[in-house]
Amino acid sequence: MAVDWSASNRPTVGKDSIWVAHRSCRDKGEVITSENISTRTKALDYISAIWTDCLADGQRVFAGFDFAFG
């Protein structure tokens, strides 16, 4: 999973927003998704759901986050 975390304080999609790319290997093969999420809360819920499912299936999770440290 790769997460490009936005520094925006308002809900937004597109440029300067939160993007989550996720690769999953399940019974039906490899699936790659990219989601543009409008708020930090929704992003945390989305990420948490993916991690919960992966860990429940006995899979490992590797994640990288791009945070602004300004």
Side-chain angles (χ1 to χ4, degrees):
M1 173 179 286
V3 181
D4 182 6
W5 204 258
S6 170
S8 178
N9 289 324
R10 295 183 313 218
T12 188
V13 293
K15 184 179 177 183
D16 297 325
S17 62
I18 301 169
W19 287 88
V20 179
H22 172 252
R23 178 180 154 252
S24 175
C25 295
R26 299 237 175 191
D27 296 337
K28 298 177 182 174
E30 182 177 83
V31 177
I32 299 173
T33 60
S34 178
E35 296 290 332
N36 186 206
I37 303 172
S38 62
T39 67
R40 292 178 182 126
T41 300
K42 288 179 185 177
L44 287 172
D45 290 343
Y46 179 77
I47 293 165
S48 178
I50 291 171
W51 288 4
T52 299
D53 288 346
C54 288
L55 295 174
D57 288 346
Q59 298 178 20
R60 291 181 278 178
V61 177
F62 179 77
F65 289 81
D66 177 16
F67 291 108
F69 290 105

Short mmCIF file of all heavy atoms in Angstrom, two decimals:
data_model
loop_
_atom_site.label_atom_id
_atom_site.label_comp_id
_atom_site.label_asym_id
_atom_site.label_seq_id
_atom_site.Cartn_x
_atom_site.Cartn_y
_atom_site.Cartn_z
N MET A 1 0.84 -1.16 0.00
CA MET A 1 0.00 0.00 0.00
C MET A 1 0.89 1.23 0.00
O MET A 1 1.90 1.27 0.69
CB MET A 1 -0.90 -0.01 1.24
CG MET A 1 -1.70 1.25 1.41
SD MET A 1 -2.78 1.23 2.84
CE MET A 1 -4.03 0.12 2.27
N ALA A 2 0.50 2.21 -0.78
CA ALA A 2 1.18 3.50 -0.80
C ALA A 2 0.11 4.57 -0.59
O ALA A 2 -0.94 4.53 -1.23
CB ALA A 2 1.90 3.72 -2.11
N VAL A 3 0.40 5.50 0.31
CA VAL A 3 -0.57 6.55 0.62
C VAL A 3 0.09 7.91 0.45
O VAL A 3 1.12 8.19 1.06
CB VAL A 3 -1.11 6.41 2.06
CG1 VAL A 3 -2.13 7.49 2.36
CG2 VAL A 3 -1.68 5.02 2.30
N ASP A 4 -0.50 8.74 -0.40
CA ASP A 4 -0.06 10.12 -0.56
C ASP A 4 -1.02 10.97 0.25
O ASP A 4 -2.16 11.19 -0.13
CB ASP A 4 -0.09 10.51 -2.04
CG ASP A 4 0.41 11.93 -2.27
OD1 ASP A 4 0.89 12.57 -1.31
OD2 ASP A 4 0.33 12.39 -3.42
N TRP A 5 -0.56 11.40 1.41
CA TRP A 5 -1.40 12.08 2.40
C TRP A 5 -1.44 13.57 2.11
O TRP A 5 -0.42 14.21 1.96
CB TRP A 5 -0.82 11.84 3.79
CG TRP A 5 -1.81 11.97 4.88
CD1 TRP A 5 -1.95 13.04 5.71
CD2 TRP A 5 -2.78 11.01 5.29
NE1 TRP A 5 -2.94 12.81 6.61
CE2 TRP A 5 -3.47 11.56 6.37
CE3 TRP A 5 -3.13 9.74 4.85
CZ2 TRP A 5 -4.50 10.88 7.02
CZ3 TRP A 5 -4.14 9.08 5.48
CH2 TRP A 5 -4.81 9.64 6.55
N SER A 6 -2.62 14.13 2.07
CA SER A 6 -2.81 15.54 1.73
C SER A 6 -2.57 16.45 2.92
O SER A 6 -2.84 16.10 4.06
CB SER A 6 -4.23 15.77 1.23
OG SER A 6 -4.50 17.14 1.11
N ALA A 7 -2.10 17.65 2.63
CA ALA A 7 -1.97 18.67 3.66
C ALA A 7 -3.18 19.59 3.69
O ALA A 7 -3.26 20.51 4.48
CB ALA A 7 -0.71 19.50 3.42
N SER A 8 -4.16 19.33 2.83
CA SER A 8 -5.36 20.17 2.76
C SER A 8 -6.21 20.01 4.01
O SER A 8 -6.36 18.92 4.54
CB SER A 8 -6.18 19.79 1.53
OG SER A 8 -7.35 20.56 1.47
N ASN A 9 -6.80 21.10 4.46
CA ASN A 9 -7.67 21.05 5.64
C ASN A 9 -9.15 20.96 5.26
O ASN A 9 -9.99 20.91 6.14
CB ASN A 9 -7.45 22.29 6.50
CG ASN A 9 -6.11 22.25 7.20
OD1 ASN A 9 -5.66 21.18 7.61
ND2 ASN A 9 -5.47 23.39 7.33
N ARG A 10 -9.44 20.97 3.96
CA ARG A 10 -10.82 20.88 3.50
C ARG A 10 -11.01 19.59 2.70
O ARG A 10 -10.07 19.14 2.04
CB ARG A 10 -11.16 22.05 2.59
CG ARG A 10 -11.13 23.38 3.28
CD ARG A 10 -11.54 24.47 2.33
NE ARG A 10 -10.83 24.29 1.06
CZ ARG A 10 -10.36 25.27 0.32
NH1 ARG A 10 -10.54 26.50 0.69
NH2 ARG A 10 -9.73 25.02 -0.80
N PRO A 11 -12.21 19.02 2.73
CA PRO A 11 -12.46 17.84 1.89
C PRO A 11 -12.26 18.20 0.42
O PRO A 11 -12.79 19.20 -0.06
CB PRO A 11 -13.93 17.51 2.17
CG PRO A 11 -14.22 18.11 3.50
CD PRO A 11 -13.36 19.34 3.58
N THR A 12 -11.47 17.40 -0.27
CA THR A 12 -11.20 17.65 -1.68
C THR A 12 -10.75 16.36 -2.36
O THR A 12 -10.25 15.46 -1.71
CB THR A 12 -10.14 18.75 -1.86
OG1 THR A 12 -10.04 19.09 -3.24
CG2 THR A 12 -8.79 18.34 -1.33
N VAL A 13 -10.96 16.28 -3.66
CA VAL A 13 -10.42 15.19 -4.46
C VAL A 13 -9.64 15.79 -5.61
O VAL A 13 -9.73 16.98 -5.88
CB VAL A 13 -11.54 14.25 -4.99
CG1 VAL A 13 -12.19 13.50 -3.86
CG2 VAL A 13 -12.56 15.01 -5.81
N GLY A 14 -8.85 14.98 -6.27
CA GLY A 14 -8.01 15.47 -7.35
C GLY A 14 -6.67 15.94 -6.83
O GLY A 14 -6.09 15.35 -5.92
N LYS A 15 -6.19 17.04 -7.39
CA LYS A 15 -4.90 17.59 -6.99
C LYS A 15 -4.90 17.95 -5.50
O LYS A 15 -5.89 18.45 -4.96
CB LYS A 15 -4.61 18.83 -7.83
CG LYS A 15 -3.26 19.42 -7.57
CD LYS A 15 -3.02 20.63 -8.44
CE LYS A 15 -1.66 21.24 -8.09
NZ LYS A 15 -1.38 22.45 -8.83
N ASP A 16 -3.78 17.71 -4.84
CA ASP A 16 -3.60 18.03 -3.41
C ASP A 16 -4.63 17.35 -2.52
O ASP A 16 -5.19 17.96 -1.62
CB ASP A 16 -3.62 19.55 -3.18
CG ASP A 16 -2.48 20.25 -3.88
OD1 ASP A 16 -1.39 19.65 -3.96
OD2 ASP A 16 -2.67 21.37 -4.35
N SER A 17 -4.89 16.08 -2.80
CA SER A 17 -5.82 15.31 -1.97
C SER A 17 -5.17 13.98 -1.60
O SER A 17 -4.02 13.73 -1.93
CB SER A 17 -7.15 15.10 -2.70
OG SER A 17 -6.94 14.35 -3.87
N ILE A 18 -5.90 13.13 -0.94
CA ILE A 18 -5.37 11.86 -0.46
C ILE A 18 -5.57 10.78 -1.52
O ILE A 18 -6.68 10.59 -2.03
CB ILE A 18 -6.06 11.45 0.86
CG1 ILE A 18 -5.84 12.51 1.91
CG2 ILE A 18 -5.56 10.08 1.33
CD1 ILE A 18 -6.70 12.35 3.14
N TRP A 19 -4.49 10.08 -1.83
CA TRP A 19 -4.53 8.96 -2.77
C TRP A 19 -4.01 7.71 -2.07
O TRP A 19 -3.01 7.76 -1.36
CB TRP A 19 -3.66 9.25 -3.99
CG TRP A 19 -4.26 10.26 -4.90
CD1 TRP A 19 -4.10 11.62 -4.83
CD2 TRP A 19 -5.12 10.03 -6.00
NE1 TRP A 19 -4.81 12.24 -5.81
CE2 TRP A 19 -5.45 11.28 -6.56
CE3 TRP A 19 -5.66 8.88 -6.57
CZ2 TRP A 19 -6.28 11.41 -7.66
CZ3 TRP A 19 -6.48 9.01 -7.68
CH2 TRP A 19 -6.78 10.26 -8.21
N VAL A 20 -4.71 6.60 -2.27
CA VAL A 20 -4.31 5.32 -1.70
C VAL A 20 -4.22 4.30 -2.82
O VAL A 20 -5.21 4.06 -3.53
CB VAL A 20 -5.31 4.83 -0.62
CG1 VAL A 20 -4.87 3.49 -0.06
CG2 VAL A 20 -5.47 5.85 0.49
N ALA A 21 -3.04 3.73 -3.01
CA ALA A 21 -2.86 2.65 -3.98
C ALA A 21 -2.66 1.36 -3.19
O ALA A 21 -1.92 1.32 -2.21
CB ALA A 21 -1.66 2.91 -4.87
N HIS A 22 -3.34 0.31 -3.62
CA HIS A 22 -3.33 -0.94 -2.87
C HIS A 22 -3.28 -2.13 -3.84
O HIS A 22 -4.01 -2.16 -4.82
CB HIS A 22 -4.61 -1.00 -2.02
CG HIS A 22 -4.82 -2.30 -1.34
ND1 HIS A 22 -5.79 -3.19 -1.73
CD2 HIS A 22 -4.19 -2.87 -0.32
CE1 HIS A 22 -5.75 -4.25 -0.95
NE2 HIS A 22 -4.78 -4.09 -0.09
N ARG A 23 -2.42 -3.07 -3.54
CA ARG A 23 -2.31 -4.30 -4.33
C ARG A 23 -2.75 -5.46 -3.47
O ARG A 23 -2.28 -5.63 -2.34
CB ARG A 23 -0.87 -4.51 -4.78
CG ARG A 23 -0.69 -5.78 -5.55
CD ARG A 23 0.79 -5.92 -5.96
NE ARG A 23 1.08 -7.32 -6.13
CZ ARG A 23 1.83 -8.03 -5.31
NH1 ARG A 23 2.38 -7.49 -4.26
NH2 ARG A 23 2.06 -9.29 -5.56
N SER A 24 -3.63 -6.26 -3.99
CA SER A 24 -4.14 -7.41 -3.26
C SER A 24 -3.97 -8.67 -4.09
O SER A 24 -4.26 -8.67 -5.28
CB SER A 24 -5.62 -7.21 -2.92
OG SER A 24 -6.15 -8.36 -2.31
N CYS A 25 -3.51 -9.73 -3.48
CA CYS A 25 -3.41 -11.04 -4.14
C CYS A 25 -4.40 -11.97 -3.46
O CYS A 25 -4.22 -12.37 -2.32
CB CYS A 25 -2.00 -11.60 -4.03
SG CYS A 25 -0.78 -10.63 -4.91
N ARG A 26 -5.44 -12.26 -4.15
CA ARG A 26 -6.49 -13.15 -3.63
C ARG A 26 -6.67 -14.32 -4.58
O ARG A 26 -5.95 -14.47 -5.55
CB ARG A 26 -7.79 -12.37 -3.47
CG ARG A 26 -7.66 -11.21 -2.51
CD ARG A 26 -8.66 -11.34 -1.46
NE ARG A 26 -8.46 -10.28 -0.47
CZ ARG A 26 -9.05 -10.29 0.66
NH1 ARG A 26 -9.87 -11.23 0.97
NH2 ARG A 26 -8.84 -9.33 1.53
N ASP A 27 -7.71 -15.12 -4.33
CA ASP A 27 -7.99 -16.29 -5.15
C ASP A 27 -8.16 -15.95 -6.62
O ASP A 27 -7.87 -16.76 -7.49
CB ASP A 27 -9.26 -17.00 -4.65
CG ASP A 27 -9.08 -17.54 -3.24
OD1 ASP A 27 -7.94 -17.77 -2.83
OD2 ASP A 27 -10.10 -17.73 -2.56
N LYS A 28 -8.65 -14.77 -6.93
CA LYS A 28 -8.93 -14.39 -8.31
C LYS A 28 -7.74 -13.69 -8.97
O LYS A 28 -7.88 -13.09 -10.02
CB LYS A 28 -10.15 -13.49 -8.35
CG LYS A 28 -11.39 -14.18 -7.85
CD LYS A 28 -12.59 -13.26 -7.84
CE LYS A 28 -13.78 -14.00 -7.27
NZ LYS A 28 -14.94 -13.16 -7.09
N GLY A 29 -6.58 -13.76 -8.38
CA GLY A 29 -5.38 -13.14 -8.95
C GLY A 29 -5.08 -11.80 -8.32
O GLY A 29 -5.66 -11.40 -7.32
N GLU A 30 -4.17 -11.10 -8.96
CA GLU A 30 -3.71 -9.82 -8.44
C GLU A 30 -4.68 -8.70 -8.82
O GLU A 30 -5.10 -8.60 -9.97
CB GLU A 30 -2.33 -9.51 -9.00
CG GLU A 30 -1.75 -8.23 -8.48
CD GLU A 30 -0.36 -8.01 -9.00
OE1 GLU A 30 -0.22 -7.51 -10.13
OE2 GLU A 30 0.59 -8.35 -8.29
N VAL A 31 -5.02 -7.87 -7.84
CA VAL A 31 -5.91 -6.74 -8.07
C VAL A 31 -5.21 -5.49 -7.55
O VAL A 31 -4.76 -5.45 -6.41
CB VAL A 31 -7.26 -6.92 -7.35
CG1 VAL A 31 -8.13 -5.70 -7.55
CG2 VAL A 31 -7.96 -8.17 -7.83
N ILE A 32 -5.10 -4.47 -8.40
CA ILE A 32 -4.49 -3.21 -8.00
C ILE A 32 -5.56 -2.12 -8.06
O ILE A 32 -6.25 -1.99 -9.07
CB ILE A 32 -3.31 -2.84 -8.91
CG1 ILE A 32 -2.24 -3.93 -8.81
CG2 ILE A 32 -2.74 -1.48 -8.51
CD1 ILE A 32 -1.11 -3.77 -9.78
N THR A 33 -5.71 -1.39 -6.97
CA THR A 33 -6.70 -0.32 -6.92
C THR A 33 -6.02 0.99 -6.55
O THR A 33 -5.00 1.01 -5.86
CB THR A 33 -7.81 -0.60 -5.90
OG1 THR A 33 -7.23 -0.74 -4.61
CG2 THR A 33 -8.58 -1.85 -6.23
N SER A 34 -6.61 2.07 -6.99
CA SER A 34 -6.15 3.40 -6.63
C SER A 34 -7.39 4.22 -6.28
O SER A 34 -8.30 4.33 -7.10
CB SER A 34 -5.40 4.04 -7.80
OG SER A 34 -5.00 5.34 -7.45
N GLU A 35 -7.43 4.73 -5.07
CA GLU A 35 -8.60 5.48 -4.61
C GLU A 35 -8.20 6.91 -4.26
O GLU A 35 -7.16 7.14 -3.64
CB GLU A 35 -9.20 4.83 -3.35
CG GLU A 35 -9.76 3.45 -3.58
CD GLU A 35 -11.01 3.43 -4.41
OE1 GLU A 35 -11.77 4.42 -4.40
OE2 GLU A 35 -11.23 2.42 -5.09
N ASN A 36 -9.03 7.84 -4.65
CA ASN A 36 -8.85 9.25 -4.31
C ASN A 36 -9.89 9.56 -3.23
O ASN A 36 -11.09 9.54 -3.50
CB ASN A 36 -9.05 10.12 -5.54
CG ASN A 36 -8.76 11.58 -5.33
OD1 ASN A 36 -9.29 12.42 -6.02
ND2 ASN A 36 -7.90 11.93 -4.38
N ILE A 37 -9.43 9.81 -2.02
CA ILE A 37 -10.33 9.93 -0.87
C ILE A 37 -10.35 11.37 -0.39
O ILE A 37 -9.33 12.02 -0.28
CB ILE A 37 -9.88 8.96 0.25
CG1 ILE A 37 -9.85 7.53 -0.32
CG2 ILE A 37 -10.80 9.06 1.45
CD1 ILE A 37 -9.25 6.51 0.58
N SER A 38 -11.56 11.87 -0.08
CA SER A 38 -11.74 13.31 0.15
C SER A 38 -11.36 13.81 1.54
O SER A 38 -11.06 14.99 1.71
CB SER A 38 -13.19 13.69 -0.13
OG SER A 38 -14.07 13.01 0.75
N THR A 39 -11.37 12.94 2.56
CA THR A 39 -11.04 13.41 3.91
C THR A 39 -10.09 12.43 4.60
O THR A 39 -10.02 11.25 4.24
CB THR A 39 -12.29 13.56 4.80
OG1 THR A 39 -12.85 12.26 5.05
CG2 THR A 39 -13.33 14.47 4.18
N ARG A 40 -9.40 12.92 5.61
CA ARG A 40 -8.48 12.06 6.37
C ARG A 40 -9.23 10.97 7.12
O ARG A 40 -8.77 9.84 7.20
CB ARG A 40 -7.68 12.93 7.34
CG ARG A 40 -6.72 13.86 6.63
CD ARG A 40 -5.97 14.75 7.62
NE ARG A 40 -5.10 15.65 6.89
CZ ARG A 40 -5.10 16.95 7.02
NH1 ARG A 40 -5.92 17.53 7.87
NH2 ARG A 40 -4.28 17.69 6.31
N THR A 41 -10.40 11.31 7.65
CA THR A 41 -11.19 10.32 8.39
C THR A 41 -11.62 9.18 7.48
O THR A 41 -11.50 8.00 7.84
CB THR A 41 -12.43 10.98 9.03
OG1 THR A 41 -12.00 11.99 9.93
CG2 THR A 41 -13.27 9.97 9.77
N LYS A 42 -12.10 9.51 6.28
CA LYS A 42 -12.49 8.47 5.32
C LYS A 42 -11.28 7.64 4.90
O LYS A 42 -11.39 6.43 4.72
CB LYS A 42 -13.15 9.10 4.09
CG LYS A 42 -14.53 9.64 4.35
CD LYS A 42 -15.10 10.26 3.09
CE LYS A 42 -16.44 10.91 3.36
NZ LYS A 42 -16.97 11.59 2.15
N ALA A 43 -10.15 8.29 4.75
CA ALA A 43 -8.93 7.57 4.37
C ALA A 43 -8.52 6.59 5.47
O ALA A 43 -8.17 5.44 5.18
CB ALA A 43 -7.80 8.55 4.08
N LEU A 44 -8.56 7.03 6.71
CA LEU A 44 -8.22 6.13 7.82
C LEU A 44 -9.18 4.95 7.90
O LEU A 44 -8.76 3.82 8.14
CB LEU A 44 -8.21 6.90 9.14
CG LEU A 44 -7.03 7.85 9.34
CD1 LEU A 44 -7.24 8.69 10.61
CD2 LEU A 44 -5.73 7.07 9.43
N ASP A 45 -10.46 5.20 7.68
CA ASP A 45 -11.44 4.11 7.68
C ASP A 45 -11.15 3.12 6.54
O ASP A 45 -11.21 1.91 6.74
CB ASP A 45 -12.87 4.66 7.54
CG ASP A 45 -13.34 5.40 8.77
OD1 ASP A 45 -12.72 5.25 9.86
OD2 ASP A 45 -14.33 6.16 8.65
N TYR A 46 -10.83 3.64 5.36
CA TYR A 46 -10.53 2.80 4.20
C TYR A 46 -9.29 1.95 4.45
O TYR A 46 -9.29 0.73 4.23
CB TYR A 46 -10.34 3.71 2.98
CG TYR A 46 -10.01 2.98 1.71
CD1 TYR A 46 -10.99 2.31 0.99
CD2 TYR A 46 -8.70 2.98 1.21
CE1 TYR A 46 -10.68 1.65 -0.19
CE2 TYR A 46 -8.39 2.33 0.03
CZ TYR A 46 -9.38 1.67 -0.66
OH TYR A 46 -9.06 1.02 -1.82
N ILE A 47 -8.24 2.59 4.93
CA ILE A 47 -6.98 1.88 5.22
C ILE A 47 -7.19 0.83 6.31
O ILE A 47 -6.72 -0.31 6.19
CB ILE A 47 -5.88 2.89 5.61
CG1 ILE A 47 -5.52 3.76 4.39
CG2 ILE A 47 -4.66 2.19 6.17
CD1 ILE A 47 -4.73 5.01 4.73
N SER A 48 -7.88 1.20 7.36
CA SER A 48 -8.15 0.28 8.46
C SER A 48 -8.92 -0.96 7.98
O SER A 48 -8.62 -2.08 8.39
CB SER A 48 -8.93 0.99 9.55
OG SER A 48 -9.24 0.11 10.60
N ALA A 49 -9.90 -0.76 7.12
CA ALA A 49 -10.68 -1.89 6.60
C ALA A 49 -9.81 -2.83 5.78
O ALA A 49 -9.93 -4.06 5.91
CB ALA A 49 -11.85 -1.37 5.76
N ILE A 50 -8.94 -2.28 4.96
CA ILE A 50 -8.05 -3.12 4.16
C ILE A 50 -7.11 -3.91 5.06
O ILE A 50 -6.93 -5.12 4.91
CB ILE A 50 -7.25 -2.27 3.15
CG1 ILE A 50 -8.18 -1.73 2.07
CG2 ILE A 50 -6.12 -3.10 2.52
CD1 ILE A 50 -7.53 -0.71 1.16
N TRP A 51 -6.50 -3.23 6.02
CA TRP A 51 -5.57 -3.91 6.93
C TRP A 51 -6.27 -4.98 7.74
O TRP A 51 -5.74 -6.07 7.94
CB TRP A 51 -4.88 -2.91 7.85
CG TRP A 51 -3.87 -2.04 7.15
CD1 TRP A 51 -3.58 -2.02 5.82
CD2 TRP A 51 -3.04 -1.07 7.75
NE1 TRP A 51 -2.62 -1.08 5.56
CE2 TRP A 51 -2.27 -0.49 6.72
CE3 TRP A 51 -2.88 -0.62 9.04
CZ2 TRP A 51 -1.33 0.51 6.96
CZ3 TRP A 51 -1.95 0.38 9.29
CH2 TRP A 51 -1.19 0.93 8.26
N THR A 52 -7.47 -4.70 8.22
CA THR A 52 -8.23 -5.67 9.00
C THR A 52 -8.50 -6.93 8.17
O THR A 52 -8.31 -8.05 8.66
CB THR A 52 -9.55 -5.06 9.49
OG1 THR A 52 -9.24 -3.94 10.34
CG2 THR A 52 -10.38 -6.06 10.26
N ASP A 53 -8.93 -6.75 6.91
CA ASP A 53 -9.19 -7.89 6.03
C ASP A 53 -7.91 -8.68 5.76
O ASP A 53 -7.93 -9.92 5.81
CB ASP A 53 -9.78 -7.42 4.70
CG ASP A 53 -11.21 -6.94 4.83
OD1 ASP A 53 -11.85 -7.20 5.87
OD2 ASP A 53 -11.69 -6.30 3.86
N CYS A 54 -6.83 -7.99 5.47
CA CYS A 54 -5.56 -8.68 5.18
C CYS A 54 -5.08 -9.49 6.39
O CYS A 54 -4.69 -10.65 6.24
CB CYS A 54 -4.49 -7.67 4.78
SG CYS A 54 -4.73 -6.95 3.16
N LEU A 55 -5.09 -8.88 7.54
CA LEU A 55 -4.61 -9.56 8.74
C LEU A 55 -5.52 -10.73 9.12
O LEU A 55 -5.04 -11.76 9.58
CB LEU A 55 -4.46 -8.57 9.89
CG LEU A 55 -3.39 -7.49 9.64
CD1 LEU A 55 -3.42 -6.45 10.77
CD2 LEU A 55 -2.01 -8.09 9.50
N ALA A 56 -6.82 -10.58 8.91
CA ALA A 56 -7.75 -11.67 9.20
C ALA A 56 -7.50 -12.86 8.27
O ALA A 56 -7.72 -14.02 8.66
CB ALA A 56 -9.19 -11.19 9.06
N ASP A 57 -7.03 -12.59 7.04
CA ASP A 57 -6.71 -13.64 6.08
C ASP A 57 -5.30 -14.19 6.27
O ASP A 57 -4.85 -15.03 5.49
CB ASP A 57 -6.83 -13.12 4.64
CG ASP A 57 -8.27 -12.89 4.22
OD1 ASP A 57 -9.19 -13.38 4.91
OD2 ASP A 57 -8.48 -12.22 3.19
N GLY A 58 -4.58 -13.69 7.28
CA GLY A 58 -3.22 -14.16 7.54
C GLY A 58 -2.18 -13.56 6.61
O GLY A 58 -1.07 -14.07 6.51
N GLN A 59 -2.53 -12.48 5.92
CA GLN A 59 -1.60 -11.81 5.02
C GLN A 59 -0.79 -10.76 5.78
O GLN A 59 -1.20 -10.28 6.82
CB GLN A 59 -2.35 -11.13 3.88
CG GLN A 59 -3.13 -12.07 3.02
CD GLN A 59 -3.88 -11.32 1.93
OE1 GLN A 59 -3.56 -10.20 1.60
NE2 GLN A 59 -4.91 -11.95 1.39
N ARG A 60 0.35 -10.43 5.23
CA ARG A 60 1.16 -9.35 5.78
C ARG A 60 0.83 -8.06 5.05
O ARG A 60 0.34 -8.08 3.93
CB ARG A 60 2.64 -9.66 5.64
CG ARG A 60 3.06 -10.82 6.53
CD ARG A 60 4.51 -11.08 6.39
NE ARG A 60 4.70 -11.90 5.18
CZ ARG A 60 5.87 -12.28 4.73
NH1 ARG A 60 6.97 -11.90 5.34
NH2 ARG A 60 5.96 -13.03 3.65
N VAL A 61 1.11 -6.94 5.71
CA VAL A 61 0.84 -5.63 5.12
C VAL A 61 2.15 -4.83 5.10
O VAL A 61 2.85 -4.75 6.09
CB VAL A 61 -0.23 -4.85 5.92
CG1 VAL A 61 -0.43 -3.47 5.35
CG2 VAL A 61 -1.53 -5.61 5.96
N PHE A 62 2.44 -4.25 3.94
CA PHE A 62 3.58 -3.35 3.78
C PHE A 62 3.00 -2.03 3.30
O PHE A 62 2.30 -2.00 2.28
CB PHE A 62 4.57 -3.92 2.77
CG PHE A 62 5.77 -3.03 2.55
CD1 PHE A 62 6.79 -2.99 3.49
CD2 PHE A 62 5.87 -2.26 1.42
CE1 PHE A 62 7.91 -2.19 3.30
CE2 PHE A 62 6.98 -1.45 1.21
CZ PHE A 62 7.99 -1.42 2.15
N ALA A 63 3.26 -0.95 4.03
CA ALA A 63 2.67 0.34 3.69
C ALA A 63 3.71 1.45 3.77
O ALA A 63 4.58 1.44 4.63
CB ALA A 63 1.50 0.65 4.62
N GLY A 64 3.56 2.40 2.86
CA GLY A 64 4.40 3.59 2.87
C GLY A 64 3.51 4.81 2.82
O GLY A 64 2.51 4.83 2.09
N PHE A 65 3.83 5.81 3.63
CA PHE A 65 3.02 7.03 3.70
C PHE A 65 3.88 8.24 3.35
O PHE A 65 5.02 8.35 3.80
CB PHE A 65 2.47 7.24 5.11
CG PHE A 65 1.39 6.25 5.48
CD1 PHE A 65 1.70 4.98 5.91
CD2 PHE A 65 0.06 6.62 5.40
CE1 PHE A 65 0.71 4.08 6.26
CE2 PHE A 65 -0.95 5.72 5.73
CZ PHE A 65 -0.61 4.45 6.17
N ASP A 66 3.31 9.13 2.57
CA ASP A 66 3.97 10.39 2.21
C ASP A 66 3.27 11.49 3.01
O ASP A 66 2.20 11.95 2.64
CB ASP A 66 3.84 10.65 0.71
CG ASP A 66 4.43 11.98 0.30
OD1 ASP A 66 5.19 12.57 1.08
OD2 ASP A 66 4.13 12.44 -0.82
N PHE A 67 3.87 11.85 4.15
CA PHE A 67 3.33 12.92 5.00
C PHE A 67 4.12 14.20 4.79
O PHE A 67 5.33 14.16 4.60
CB PHE A 67 3.46 12.54 6.49
CG PHE A 67 2.58 11.42 6.93
CD1 PHE A 67 3.12 10.18 7.24
CD2 PHE A 67 1.22 11.60 7.05
CE1 PHE A 67 2.33 9.13 7.67
CE2 PHE A 67 0.41 10.57 7.48
CZ PHE A 67 0.96 9.33 7.78
N ALA A 68 3.43 15.31 4.87
CA ALA A 68 4.10 16.62 4.83
C ALA A 68 4.62 16.93 6.24
O ALA A 68 3.86 16.84 7.20
CB ALA A 68 3.13 17.69 4.38
N PHE A 69 5.88 17.25 6.36
CA PHE A 69 6.46 17.58 7.66
C PHE A 69 6.74 19.06 7.80
O PHE A 69 7.61 19.47 8.53
CB PHE A 69 7.75 16.78 7.88
CG PHE A 69 7.51 15.31 8.08
CD1 PHE A 69 7.78 14.40 7.07
CD2 PHE A 69 7.00 14.84 9.26
CE1 PHE A 69 7.57 13.06 7.24
CE2 PHE A 69 6.77 13.50 9.46
CZ PHE A 69 7.05 12.60 8.45
N GLY A 70 5.97 19.88 7.05
CA GLY A 70 6.18 21.32 7.05
C GLY A 70 5.63 22.04 8.23
O GLY A 70 4.97 21.65 9.09
#
